Every structure is written in C-alpha cells, then in structure tokens.
Amino acid sequence: MGQGTAAPAGGLRERARRAIRAEIARVGMELFLRNGFEPTTVEEIAAAAGISRRSFFRYFASKDEVVLAHLDELAATVTEALAARPADEDPWVSLRRAFDAVVAEAEADRAANYGLTRLLNETEALRGQYAERQKRAWVEAAAPILAARLPPHAGPGPDLRAEALVAAALGCVSIVADACLACGPEADFAALLDQAMAAVRPLS
Amino acid sequence: MGQGTAAPAGGLRERARRAIRAEIARVGMELFLRNGFEPTTVEEIAAAAGISRRSFFRYFASKDEVVLAHLDELAATVTEALAARPADEDPWVSLRRAFDAVVAEAEADRAANYGLTRLLNETEALRGQYAERQKRAWVEAAAPILAARLPPHAGPGPDLRAEALVAAALGCVSIVADACLACGPEADFAALLDQAMAAVRPLS
DNA sequence: GCCAGTATTGACACTGAGTGACAGATAGTC
DNA sequence: GACTATCTGTCACTCAGTGTCAATACTGGC
C-alpha cells in the first residue's frame, strides 16, 4: 500500500482491483448524470458493473465516494503547478496561476465538467462534502509549499498564513464555480476567477 | 409562514411548535455530545423528547438538521454587525469586525463551542454540510451589503467581487476553526483570525 | 357550548444505505 | 496437486428517511 505513488502499477492483483474500481466509478457517474444521484441505487450501479451490491461497498465506502473520488487527482494537479511557480512570486499570484492547470482541464471537457458541477449542486450533502474535502486536500498539499516562501513567522501561536491564503483562494474558486453554474457551460472560468481573486487582493 | 421574521411570536399554535422544535434540538445536542453523532439514533432522541420517531422527522428533515440548525442565527448576527459598519471602511476590515460578534458569542461559552466544533469534526458528512451552509448563508446575506459599498462594476459578466470577499473571509474563519480545534478550548480565536485575515490582505 | 374543518400525532409498512458473518470460488505458493 | 490467503456472493441485520392512514387535538363559526 505505502509503496507505488505514481508508479506504473503495484502488484498483478492490485492492477485488477484498480481496474474494477475505475469501472465502477465510470458506470456510476454515467448513471448519476443520466438519472440523478439520489434516484440511482447502489444496486443499479453494482448490476451495471457486473458485481454484487456487497462488493460495491468493498470498493467504495459509500455511494458518495464514487463522485468524490475525482478530488485527489485535482489536488495533485494544483500542488504540482504551485510548486513549479517561482519562489519569489507573490503567493496570491502563484495560487491564481496554479489554478490555471485545473481551469485548462475543465475547459478541455466543458460538458463533463458542467455535468459534474450540476450533479454536485443537486445534492446538498454531496456538495458540502465535496467542498470540504477539496479544502482539506488543497490546504494540506499547497500550504506547506507556500509556507516555505513566506517571511519567517513572528509572534505566538501557530502560523496560519499559508493555510489562510489557500483557503481564501479556494473560497474564490467556489464562488466562481457557483457563478459558472448560473451562466451555463460556456462561462469564462478564467476571467471570472481573475475578477474574484483580484477583488480580494490585487493580482500584483 | 412568510410573516413574522424576528417578531415575538406568530400564532398560538406556532409557538408550541417552536418550543417542541427547540426541545428536540436541546435533547438531541445533549445526546450527540455525550455519545457521539452516529451512535445516537433518531429513536433515542425522539424517546428523550417524548415524541414518536415519525414526529421527529416532522420537525427536522434529517438527523443532521438538529446540529445544522444553529447556523441561521449565526448568519443573522454577522449580517447585522456588517450592516452596522461605516460604509467607507475597507470591506475586508468590515468583515473582520463583523466576525467579532460571533467571536464574542463563542468566547462567552467556550466549552459549548468547543464541543460543537469537535462534534462537527468527528463526522465528515456533517462537517462538510456545515461549512457549505455557512458559506451559502453568509454570502447570501453579507454580499449584497458589501456590494453596495464597492465602486461600480465595469466589464462584462456578473459582479463577483463582494461574494469573493465574503467567501475568502470565510475561508480564513474555517482555517482558524481548525486551528482552534487543535489548540484546545482556550485558543485565542480573535488573535488567530487577525493573523489569518491579515495574511490574505492587510487589515488597513 | 356545539359542530364542522384542519393540523398534528402515532402506528405501520416500506425503500435504500451501510455492515457483519459465513461459505464457496479463485487466485498465487510450494 | 494440496495449501493458503484473498475475493466474492448470499443472507440477515440496523438505521435513516418517507408515504399512508386513522385517531386526536385545536381552530374557527354558529
């Protein structure tokens, strides 16, 4: 488990497991997008994936997880992009530029992205969990990178500066995502993000 | 329904309903804090409140709702405080000062506040929904106030500036809440909030 | 004070998510 | 080919949440 991070594959058996998991996710998302999240039962997903209901829960801890699974990849993308920015750049600008990677991915398949956003919005519980996980994943991954670039922390108590920066930027992303949902799939994500982030702190 | 907002009371019948709802919330929170959220069943709450299981769901749409119900009051507090700030003050400072009202409330009963925070943290699904609702409620209530004080919006597309400001501030609050959870019930919420918000944008 | 109309309640039944236990199938090892 | 560990499906269960219905309490008008 604690071995191959981005390696080609772990063991022979592990590869099969990964493939089945991916297939369940694919089939599940298809059904969710077609029929909605709540109306789609685990039974249906399992049947469509050719496994039993019980086995579904051996691959995903919950129905939510099928939708939420996308997030870990996203966080990795942002972290990579952030680490690649010059160390002397303003942190707020670095964050804005790091999001470009995600924006590009979203714009590459506007329909899929819009569908996912609508799905998230339709189910209150999902939406909240998605936002919270995104926050946690991005803060955990991105804050340490930023913290190393900030001037030394003076004063008592923990240093919250880097985490606050990331969380604030994420707040902007969330507002933009809401706006894009209202605007339709052709919204200019990048321009709206520029506007939102510049309102909080000038982009140098 | 669409009448008394903060009025003393609606009808005679409405008052009884409100009282029962409050009693369920009180009893429910007590059980949650004592035994945890998931281990506590709706059956137990209903029994402790002297009603049937079915009636519980006539007062709260879900078990989550019992915990989440606190939020609407909080949003109202912040909105009031924000509206009371001078119109020519920097919006970021206004937001920081508006949070003072919530900080004061939290510090008035540190134990209760810490318990609630711990409860939220213990249950992933709850935590996400809480954050999401808080965001939505605060953005909806506070953004219009701020928007009226901002210079006119130029350029195409919707004006996201006020919402972005509120969401960014809320991100800082969320980071501080996490930190306070790690620090214990005696953490200096106000000072940490100053630090976090100042890192994103100088508090003038 | 009495009588209709309405809202509230408890009881019952049901669906669906999630979990535990167990037996059989299916791989990988010697 | 026997041995062992893992994976799988089946069954049974708890609990959240919802629809239905009959009984009951409260509202109004007379």
Side-chain angles (χ1 to χ4, degrees), chain A residues 86-110:
Chain A
D88 61 345
E89 190 178 47
D90 179 67
W92 195 246
V93 176
S94 294
L95 281 166
R96 173 61 193 87
R97 292 280 78 82
F99 290 143
D100 276 335
V102 181
V103 171
E105 237 176 66
E107 289 184 342
D109 191 350
R110 282 177 176 278

Side-chain angles (χ1 to χ4, degrees), chain A residues 27-28 31-32 35-51 53 56:
Chain A
V27 162
L31 288 171
F32 290 154
N35 308 327
F37 181 76
E38 275 156 355
T40 304
T41 69
V42 170
E43 188 93 43
E44 288 170 345
I45 301 173
I51 57 170
R53 204 181 76 91
F56 171 91

Side-chain angles (χ1 to χ4, degrees), chain A residues 72-153:
Chain A
D72 303 333
E73 307 162 28
L74 267 189
T77 304
V78 172
T79 309
E80 254 177 68
L82 186 64
R85 302 300 307 172
D88 61 345
E89 190 178 47
D90 179 67
W92 195 246
V93 176
S94 294
L95 281 166
R96 173 61 193 87
R97 292 280 78 82
F99 290 143
D100 276 335
V102 181
V103 171
E105 237 176 66
E107 289 184 342
D109 191 350
R110 282 177 176 278
N113 186 63
Y114 186 66
L116 178 63
T117 309
R118 257 190 327 122
L119 186 63
L120 249 29
N121 221 55
E122 154 198 312
T123 314
E124 199 64 31
L126 258 190
R127 185 175 169 71
Q129 279 189 77
Y130 193 87
E132 180 64 19
R133 278 216 197 187
Q134 202 169 47
K135 197 201 81 181
R136 193 178 289 247
W138 290 17
V139 166
E140 266 176 27
I145 299 174
L146 241 42
R149 298 178 187 173
L150 257 31
H153 170 58

Side-chain angles (χ1 to χ4, degrees), chain A residues 48-70:
Chain A
I51 57 170
S52 72
R53 204 181 76 91
R54 191 66 185 84
S55 277
F56 171 91
F57 287 108
R58 291 193 176 104
Y59 285 93
F60 291 92
S62 71
K63 202 171 88 168
D64 305 358
E65 208 72 25
V66 175
V67 182
L68 267 30
H70 295 259

